[in-house]
Structure formats: C-alpha cells, structure tokens
Amino acid sequence: IVGRASRMVVKFDQAGKVLLTLGRRLEAVGELGSSGVFGRASGPPGSGVPGDNFNQPLDVAFDAAGNIFIPDGYGNARVAKFDKNGKFIKSWGATGTRQGQFNIPASIAVDAKGMVYVADMGNSRIQVFDNDGTYKTEFKNIGAPRAICISPGANQFLYSSNSNPTEDPFLNGEIYKMQL
C-alpha cells in the first residue's frame, strides 16, 4: 500500500503481516529536512533526499526482478528505485517541464522489458525511462494522466486515465488505450 499522508509504502503478505516498510511518518514536532520541507535535499527542487524519506508518495510498481519504483509526487517530483529487499538504489527527477523532470508524478508502471512509465500529471504527459532511469521518450495529447497500468501478456497495452478538470465531474473520465 502507498500511504500518501503517512509518507510510507508498506508491503504485506496475504495474512496481513508487514514484510517491508519504506519511508516513515512525520515527527510529532513538525516536518524534517532543510528548508522546513520533509524529504528535501540540497539538490534541485523536487529531487528529494536519496533514500526513503518520501514527501507524499503516490503509487508503486515492480519489475520482473522485484525492484520497487515509487513516484514521490506531491511534495517531491522524483522516482525512487529500491531492490526487492528495500535497499535504496537511486532516484531521478526534479520539479520542471524538461525531459526527466516532473510536475506531480502521479502513477507508475513497468512493462515486460523493464521500461518504466511515469504519469507526469501536471505536465500532461507520460514519460518513459529505461530501468536505470535514463529518459527514452514521452507520450502527449493524452490529457492529464492520474493513473496508468500496463496489461500482461506478449502484446502489452498501456492504459491511461485523463483527469482534465471540467465543470461537470461526470465528463472528465476518459481512458486511453495505447500500444507500447
């Protein structure tokens, strides 16, 4: 589960036993970090602190090797990668509009080849990276994706929501189906 407010990602077994915890809850006396922002490093805005100090994570995805990818999206603008045991490997991204930068990375998915797809909601695009975080391409003209998923099987498809705001809440629920 991803707890945006608790700033944690927790893995359970089928019996409900906690197997892995990434991140931690805020201290009772206030937020931690430089500039008074929890998870803020000295790097570019939104780059966060290397590791699992999240600032409102939004989703989680796994590759075939069990690596864990977490978009740390509202307070930060990065993707954090961990191995299957929860050891921090790397993170990439910062706040912005350029390739590899994000404005609310809201959702994430990994395809069968290990490519990482990030729903960059605030920039109205999906960015695609290799498994090490190297930018490959992006998809635009799909609205403001809030959620994405990739179907299983040999012929995979990418599904993306369009969360463009409208005056009528029943008119903004589109789903896009795209071939990888």
Side-chain angles (χ1 to χ4, degrees), residues 5-8 24-32 38-39 54:
S6 70
R7 301 173 186 210
M8 294 175 25
R24 64 189 182 103
R25 297 173 73 160
L26 294 174
E27 302 294 328
V29 295
E31 296 185 349
L32 301 176
F38 188 83
F54 301 118

Side-chain angles (χ1 to χ4, degrees), residues 15 28 34 43-44 48 54 67 87 100 105 107 137 148 157 163 170 172 175 180:
S34 63
F54 301 118
N67 292 310
K87 180 182 175 192
S107 188
T137 191
I148 58 174
F157 292 95
S163 301
F170 297 105
N172 65 353
I175 302 289
L180 299 182

Side-chain angles (χ1 to χ4, degrees), residues 94-169:
T95 303
T97 59
R98 292 192 215 138
Q99 296 175 349
Q101 295 180 330
F102 304 106
N103 180 3
I104 309 175
S107 188
I108 195 163
V110 181
D111 71 15
K113 295 179 181 177
M115 300 295 284
V116 179
Y117 297 73
V118 181
D120 188 5
M121 185 174 73
N123 288 323
S124 298
R125 64 185 176 184
I126 296 172
Q127 293 193 70
V128 184
F129 302 87
D130 69 14
N131 205 269
D132 290 319
T134 303
Y135 174 88
K136 294 299 181 182
T137 191
E138 65 184 34
F139 304 127
K140 291 188 173 191
N141 300 317
I142 51 158
R146 182 177 296 270
I148 58 174
C149 69
I150 296 177
S151 63
N155 188 16
Q156 293 187 302
F157 292 95
L158 172 67
Y159 293 89
S160 174
S161 68
N162 175 8
S163 301
N164 282 333
T166 67
E167 280 79 42
D168 185 342

Side-chain angles (χ1 to χ4, degrees), residues 1 21 29 42 142:
I1 64 165
T21 301
V29 295
S42 59
I142 51 158

Side-chain angles (χ1 to χ4, degrees), residues 78-95:
R78 69 175 181 137
V79 172
K81 179 181 179 180
F82 301 85
D83 72 11
K84 65 182 178 182
N85 298 312
K87 180 182 175 192
F88 176 75
I89 297 174
K90 70 183 309 181
S91 64
W92 67 87
T95 303

